[in-house]
Structures are given as C-alpha cells and as structure tokens.
Amino acid sequence: MPPGKQLTALLKSATRPGHLLQLHALMLKSSHFPHHAFPTARLLASQLAPPAYALSLFAAVPRPTLFHHTALLRALSACPSAASLSASLSVLASARARLPALDEFAFQPLLALCAKMPDGAEAASIGKQLHALVLRYGFLDVLSLQNVLCHFYCSCGSMADARRVFDEMPEKDAISWNTVIGGYVKAEDVDTAVEMFSALRWSGMDVSVTALINLIGCGWPGEPVHGFCIKAGLCSDVKVAAAMIGMYMREGTVECAGKVFHETTRRDLVLYNCLVDGYAKAGRIQEAMDLIERMRQSGLRPSSGTLVGVLSACGASGTLPAGRRIHELALESGLELDTALGTALMDMYFKCGCPDEAVSVFDALHNRDVKAWTAMIMGFGVNGQPFAAISLFCRMEEEGVAPNEVTFLSLLSTCSHGGLVQEGKEFLERMVHHHGLTPSRGHYGCVIDLLGRAGQLDEAYELIRSLASRGDATGWRALLAACRVHGNVKLGRMVQAQLDTMGHYHPSDAIQLSNTYATEGRWDEIARLRDLEAQKINVAKKDAGCASIVVSC
C-alpha cells in the first residue's frame, strides 16, 4: 500500500468524484483512514466531495483534531449554500467545544463562505459575529484574516466597515489594496476607487495587475489609464490588454481597442475573444470575421464564446452569409454544439428567415436546456408559425423540461401575432396554475395586445384596469392601437387620458387617436386634437427608423 505522502499526492491530483471514492476505499484497506491525520484531512478538504459526503467522513473520525475541523470547513466553503453555512457553524461550535485552542485558520473558511453569500442577511449577520469572535480570540492582527474580513465586508456592500478594517491594518499587502479598490469599484464609487489607487502608488508598493484591472473596470477615462499602463510597463500583460480593450469598446472607440490588440506581443484566446466580441457589438462583422481567420492562422482554435457574439450580430443585422460562414467555422474547428452555440445559431437563422436551418441545428443538439427550447418557440413565432411554436411547447413539456417566464412570454407573443385568443388565455392560466410562475407586465401586455387585435377591447380594458400596477405604458399603447384599428373612439379617449395621467407622453399617442377619429370621419375632433397637441408634438420628436437589406448573390 502507498505511504501517506503518496496518498496525499494522489488525492491532490484527483479530478473526478470517482477518483475520490477509489482513494477512499484504498485508504480504508490500508488503515490510513481515519487514523492518519494528513491524508484524512486531505480527503476531507477535497472540493470534489459533496458537503454531505465530507460530513459523513468527518463523523467517522473518532477524535478529530483542529486540522480535521479546518479541512472540513474549507470543503464546505467551496459549496456556498444555506445548508453549508449551517453545517459550518456546527463544525465551528464542535471545534470550540472539543479543542483546547483554535487558530486563525479555523475562521477564514467560514468568513469566505459568508462573503460568497452577499444577498443573504443571515450570512451578513453571521460574518459580523465571526468578526467579534476573531477579536475575542486575539487574531485581529493577523494579516490574512484581516484581508478575509475586508473581502467579506466588500462583498456585502458595507464599504464603511471594510474601510475601517483596512485603515486599522498595521501592515498592508497587495491583497489588502486590491480588495478595497475592487470593493469601491463594485459599489460604483469611482472617485474613491481612484483615490485609493493613488494612495497605493504613494505607499511605495508595486501596482499589481489586479489593482490595475479594477481601475480599468471602474469607468475612469481610458487615455489616462492607458498612459499609466504604458509608464508602468504593464501593457504587455494579456489580462491588462483585455481589460483595456473592453474599456475602449465601452467608450465606443473601436480603433483604440484595435491598437491595444495589435501592440500586444503575446495574444491568447481571451484577448482575441475580447476584440472579436467588441467588433461584433459595434456592428463591424467583417472585421470580426477577419480577426477569427487571423486567430486560426496563428494556431488558436476559436471557442464557442468566440462565435456566439458574432452570430448575435449577424442575426441583428440579417447578415446571413456571414452567419453561415460562422457555422462552417464551428464545424471545421470541431467545436461541440453546446447550448450556447446552438441557441445562437438558431436565433441567427430564425432572424435571417431560415427556419428550416434553425430546426436542423435544434435537432443536432444533444443537451437541450430551457434556453434552447425557448429560442425555438420564439423563432417560430417571429417567422409566423404559431402552431409550430405551440406544438414544440407541448413536446417540451412531454420531455420534462420546465418552461420559465421567458418561454411563456414568447408563447403569448406568438399567440398575439397569430390571433390565437383562446390559446393565449389558456397559456396564461397554465403559467400560473401548472408551473407556479408569476406573470409580469410583459405577459399581461401580450394578452392585452392579443385581445385588442381580436377586437375584444372591453375585455382588454378590464384586464389592464384590474392589474395592481394599473399596467404599463406599453400595454395601454397596445390598447390604443387596437382602438384605432377597430374605430372605438370612446375607449381611445379614455386610454389616452390614462397615458397622460401616467406621464408617458409620446407623439404617436395623438397620432393613433387622430387616426381613430378619421375612421369615423370626425374631422372637427381631429382639428381640436391637433390644436391641443401642437405644442407637445413640436417639443417631442419621434425617433427616426432605420432599415437595412443584405443581398447575397
């Protein structure tokens, strides 16, 4: 049987839960578990083990030491959940009751676990109590523990407490500065983040890549940050270059982003992906395609993340030839058709008016999640195939995939444009009673639009009035458009009055009501309405539309 050092090395190299089970069996046969502390602690601390398995291992140790307790706390910290937090508290209580003394390493995993659950009020309260315990045990002068406390308060959004911990540190390292600067960036306090970065420079400590990336991400103007990167000699770092490319893309200066890329001597897949995605979002599809070809020539294989952004841009602009070329590149590169890539391909083909090709991609997907099903349902609706969308939804339920709110929004929109009134009502009821989902304003807006298109204006009006929020402007505007189509002048006046009351004025409202009057030939009402709305119409300008057509030969 292997000695303890070899077992520890094997445990460290394990990559699957099955490896862990095999090593556990080997340790039982060789009597290393639970009698040898180090390999047993390594088994406890493995992040491959589910929390319940780690707890069962710990229960089998007859006399657990502080080493065992700390190892289990680290394993639980890797799986943030309410159950892990509760179990960690029990383990800490066990350590305090059984052991004569604790060290600072017993508190760090639990504080890290609380930091991973920033939305939980209970975790924030427990973290503050742990801070008090750290103070009581006399570990507050330990730098690593102070850094964990600072990170905890930054994660919870308590920057005043984080700053207090930071200011009370007698010594600070790079982690300390990075934590507090990152906290201010996360809190969107740009001025204080820049102020802390300046203080870091004056402290005499070397500026780390992490601190610089935090500064780049806080929205500070690009040129001063870029200038500092050049002076500090950090432009050659791939992570810094990727952050600067993202910064320039957010500012809309695509040429500067390209310059950063071309000046970087060592380029990896992440850096290529940043610029490809930036070109795609800027609508510069050909440049994105050229960059992908350059990537392949340099020996790098594009990932699904490389292609998804370009496919989205192709779908938005209707550039079908480029979308098909991206599909070919995915096949040539041997990329697995995962959910992200498959959904992006389906969305592109649907938006470009090729539903048959989208269906082929969907059929080729092995693991279809709710996003893939929803993309198909939405695509059929956009392409005027409501019955195909409903049939696919029924198939989705039969295969045990639970729909979400977006799925039902796509279904209701499809029913609205297809004039399927009864089906739309049934889907709204099914959403609530069968799947336990709460309809939003968007769902009710689709039903209101559906009823309005079908001429059931009174029912649509009663539905929007029955909502607790009294509906939104989109729903009322859909009803106003239906009043124009069906010539209901009385209801049109009431709807426009409601829009005025809500403060959501738009020039199209007066135009819709004016057209409603025109259907009945009430020209005097049109003249009066124009006089009343003349000032508003002169002030508010309607957004100009834009259309493009891509012709492939």
Side-chain angles (χ1 to χ4, degrees), residues 223-247:
E223 292 182 359
V225 178
H226 193 174
F228 177 80
C229 292
I230 294 173
K231 290 180 180 179
L234 293 173
C235 283
S236 58
D237 188 279
V238 178
K239 294 180 181 178
V240 174
M244 284 196 294
I245 288 173
M247 170 189 69

Side-chain angles (χ1 to χ4, degrees), residues 60-229:
V61 179
R63 288 182 297 276
T65 64
L66 179 59
F67 196 40
H68 293 113
H69 284 84
T70 305
L72 179 59
L73 286 170
R74 286 178 179 170
L76 293 172
S77 175
C79 304
S81 65
S84 296
L85 184 60
S86 176
S88 297
L89 291 174
S90 300
V91 173
L92 182 64
S94 169
R96 295 181 66 194
R98 292 183 179 186
L99 304 174
L102 300 182
D103 61 12
E104 66 271 19
F105 300 107
F107 296 96
Q108 290 181 11
L110 194 47
L111 279 167
L113 178 59
C114 292
K116 293 174 184 176
M117 304 172 62
D119 296 332
E122 182 184 4
S125 175
I126 291 172
K128 292 179 180 179
Q129 295 175 50
L130 288 170
H131 189 174
L133 269 179
V134 168
L135 180 63
R136 180 179 174 183
Y137 275 86
F139 297 136
L140 204 56
D141 58 343
V142 179
L143 179 60
S144 60
L145 200 50
Q146 290 172 328
N147 286 337
V148 175
L149 277 168
C150 192
H151 173 66
F152 159 71
Y153 283 120
C154 287
S155 299
C156 295
S158 303
M159 288 309 301
D161 293 325
R163 185 64 180 270
R164 190 177 299 112
V165 172
F166 177 82
D167 290 339
E168 291 174 356
M169 292 182 184
E171 295 182 5
K172 303 175 180 68
D173 61 3
I175 297 175
S176 313
W177 287 99
N178 294 342
T179 301
V180 73
I181 292 172
Y184 281 119
V185 170
K186 183 181 177 182
E188 298 181 354
D189 190 348
V190 177
D191 293 336
T192 310
V194 175
E195 177 188 325
M196 292 299 296
F197 185 81
S198 300
L200 167 62
R201 294 179 61 196
W202 283 105
S203 69
M205 187 175 295
D206 292 336
V207 176
S208 66
V209 170
T210 304
L212 194 54
I213 290 174
N214 282 329
L215 184 67
I216 293 171
C218 74
W220 197 250
E223 292 182 359
V225 178
H226 193 174
F228 177 80
C229 292

Side-chain angles (χ1 to χ4, degrees), residues 286-452:
Q286 188 56 51
E287 292 178 69
M289 299 288 293
D290 294 341
L291 193 60
I292 292 173
E293 290 292 345
R294 181 175 177 177
M295 178 196 310
R296 298 178 71 211
Q297 292 172 6
S298 67
L300 287 174
R301 191 182 77 159
S303 64
S304 61
T306 313
L307 308 180
V308 165
V310 187
L311 285 169
S312 177
C314 291
S317 61
T319 315
L320 181 60
R324 282 182 171 151
R325 176 57 187 152
I326 291 293
H327 194 176
E328 292 173 2
L329 283 174
L331 296 175
E332 291 172 7
S333 303
L335 291 178
E336 180 186 357
L337 193 63
D338 57 14
T339 305
L341 183 58
T343 303
L345 281 167
M346 289 185 294
D347 181 67
M348 183 273 298
Y349 279 128
F350 272 127
K351 287 181 177 177
C352 292
C354 302
D356 292 338
E357 295 181 61
V359 172
S360 299
V361 174
F362 181 77
D363 292 337
L365 276 175
H366 297 294
N367 299 317
R368 306 181 187 121
D369 62 1
V370 64
K371 293 181 181 179
W373 288 92
T374 302
M376 283 294 292
I377 292 169
M378 187 182 301
F380 280 132
V382 169
N383 282 268
Q385 301 181 36
F387 294 107
I390 293 173
S391 175
L392 190 68
F393 176 76
C394 296
R395 180 181 160 194
M396 174 185 179
E397 287 188 316
E398 289 172 0
E399 294 193 15
V401 180
N404 59 17
E405 289 85 351
V406 182
T407 311
F408 278 102
L409 190 62
S410 303
L411 268 175
L412 292 172
S413 177
T414 299
C415 292
S416 175
H417 289 88
L420 306 178
V421 179
Q422 187 58 36
E423 289 83 351
K425 293 179 181 179
E426 290 174 359
F427 282 130
L428 186 65
E429 292 181 4
R430 191 171 188 80
M431 175 183 179
V432 177
H433 298 298
H434 289 267
H435 296 281
L437 300 174
T438 303
S440 65
R441 289 182 177 181
H443 296 96
Y444 285 117
C446 285
V447 177
I448 291 164
D449 184 54
L450 170 63
L451 294 171

